[in-house]
Amino acid sequence: MSIAWLLNTAQRNMTLAAHLSFPKVSLSNGLQIPILGLGTSHDGGFSHDAIVYALTECGVRHIDTAKRYSCEEKLGKAIIESGIPRSDLWVTNKLWPGDYGYKAAKKACLDSCSQMRLHYFDLYLMHWPESLQSCNCSNREMRAETWRALEELYKEGVCRAIGVSNFQVHHLEELKEDCSVVPHVNQVEYHPFQQSNQLMGYCRREGIVFEGYSPLAKGQVLRNPTLLQMAEKYGHTPAQICIRWSIQNGVVTIPKSTKKKRIRENCQVFGFQLEESDMAALGSLHDGRHVTWDSTHVE
């Protein structure tokens, strides 16, 4: 038995252990989404090698993307190269507001599947509550028309779950009144500076899983003195403390990175727990700032 074989076996076991250590959150339809995923983005927010590394070496099984990021085809190739069975993966994609409307939405989803060489998405989201389509209708009417297309895609099995992104309480209330399937997920900006506790509470009462993007506030939170003190206390990086705080709040969390070292670091957040006083201290940092879009005033 060679040393190389032993090392390879140990590495595979470590990867498997990492995969098994990622807890999951149940959706209202019974599916389970990994509580930690890897996000992608536009403007340099995709790396083929980073995706393959995350899947094969870090145990990541949850990948988040969007048509807006212009990396669907490349991401599909990285998933294939990883060799991870499709059934083991959770892939989320998002419908861009320029494709809202019943026919356009159905076509865009199927086109995205084709681009990524996938037969289905585990989760498909409306990216934004406001339409970019020119039409003689309100945003509410366009959201309802678009959502009906997603409901059909859900019933057809093209999307195993459907949801929204950047929706506020009033958007969700209207959608609930206008349509038949309550969104399974609402994905919004979430970090210590932007906590959306009222929205989170509403989602949980309605059985909508709350998912957070930009958990590090695009790096802004990592310089906060409170977070730096906790990093020293727990012997973990500021990023790990911040991601751990989000996960410990029960939020499905999708940090983005194209650097292998950072991806591995971001995944090593399940071997410790923050004390209640430290959770509260980070919770007190909310100041309402957004580092991305603010949909609060979208009608």
Side-chain angles (χ1 to χ4, degrees):
M1 199 176 292
S2 69
I3 296 296
W5 185 89
L6 288 171
L7 290 173
N8 288 335
T9 301
Q11 188 174 34
R12 284 196 299 271
N13 289 338
M14 287 175 62
T15 299
L16 178 60
H19 172 35
L20 293 175
S21 68
F22 282 43
K24 296 181 179 180
V25 175
S26 294
L27 305 186
S28 60
N29 65 357
L31 295 181
Q32 291 192 314
I33 180 172
I35 199 167
L36 180 66
L38 175 62
T40 57
S41 66
H42 55 291
D43 296 333
F46 173 83
S47 164
H48 176 94
D49 291 344
I51 295 292
V52 174
Y53 176 79
L55 293 172
T56 59
E57 303 297 333
C58 300
V60 171
R61 294 295 181 266
H62 174 181
I63 301 292
D64 181 277
T65 193
K67 179 179 179 179
R68 171 76 172 90
Y69 306 155
S70 301
C71 63
E72 290 174 314
E73 184 176 1
K74 293 182 286 188
L75 179 55
K77 290 179 180 177
I79 289 173
I80 291 171
E81 184 176 315
S82 76
I84 304 298
R86 175 66 182 93
S87 59
D88 290 350
L89 296 176
W90 183 280
V91 180
T92 298
N93 204 335
K94 307 183 200 72
L95 176 72
W96 185 240
D99 292 316
Y100 283 5
Y102 177 79
K103 290 184 179 179
K106 291 200 78 172
K107 182 179 185 302
C109 180
L110 294 173
D111 287 348
S112 288
C113 280
S114 178
Q115 283 284 312
M116 294 187 67
R117 299 191 227 179
L118 300 175
H119 296 298
Y120 64 90
F121 292 123
D122 296 280
L123 177 61
Y124 195 59
L125 307 176
M126 291 178 62
H127 206 150
W128 182 250
E130 186 175 21
S131 173
L132 295 180
Q133 293 275 32
S134 57
C135 67
N136 296 318
C137 63
S138 66
N139 280 324
R140 176 175 182 168
E141 291 169 326
M142 181 58 83
R143 286 193 294 268
E145 181 184 336
T146 303
W147 188 252
R148 283 192 288 272
L150 267 64
E151 288 180 334
E152 282 198 15
L153 291 162
Y154 174 55
K155 291 171 185 175
E156 293 164 359
V158 179
C159 307
R160 299 178 69 223
I162 52 176
V164 294
S165 184
N166 301 297
F167 275 43
Q168 301 298 321
V169 171
H170 66 282
H171 303 133
L172 293 166
E173 278 283 283
E174 291 173 354
L175 201 61
K176 188 173 67 169
E177 292 173 6
D178 296 339
C179 303
S180 59
V181 178
V182 175
H184 299 114
V185 172
N186 186 21
Q187 183 189 112
V188 300
E189 181 180 338
Y190 184 77
H191 47 76
F193 299 145
Q194 178 54 244
Q195 298 181 39
S196 308
N197 289 328
Q198 181 183 2
L199 177 60
M200 181 192 292
Y202 174 86
C203 288
R204 290 180 172 168
R205 289 192 299 273
E206 296 297 323
I208 302 168
V209 167
F210 190 87
E211 181 173 8
Y213 66 81
S214 296
L216 307 180
K218 294 191 174 179
Q220 292 182 23
V221 74
L222 302 181
R223 299 184 293 273
N224 181 270
T226 299
L227 191 67
L228 291 171
Q229 289 173 6
M230 288 186 200
E232 185 173 351
K233 172 182 175 178
Y234 288 94
H236 286 274
T237 67
Q240 288 172 330
I241 298 295
C242 204
I243 293 169
R244 179 66 208 179
W245 171 83
S246 180
I247 287 173
Q248 212 164 305
N249 278 325
V251 176
V252 176
T253 306
I254 46 171
K256 299 174 183 176
S257 182
T258 58
K259 295 179 172 59
K260 294 180 181 180
K261 179 182 177 181
R262 297 299 183 204
I263 291 171
R264 176 168 287 279
E265 174 187 318
N266 292 345
C267 290
Q268 295 173 334
V269 292
F270 297 108
F272 71 103
Q273 188 156 339
L274 300 178
E275 297 173 4
E276 287 187 16
S277 59
D278 291 327
M279 290 291 293
L282 290 176
S284 70
L285 296 179
H286 174 79
D287 59 17
R289 83 180 75 169
H290 284 271
V291 298
T292 59
W293 306 334
D294 180 1
S295 62
T296 307
H297 302 296
V298 175
E299 293 182 356

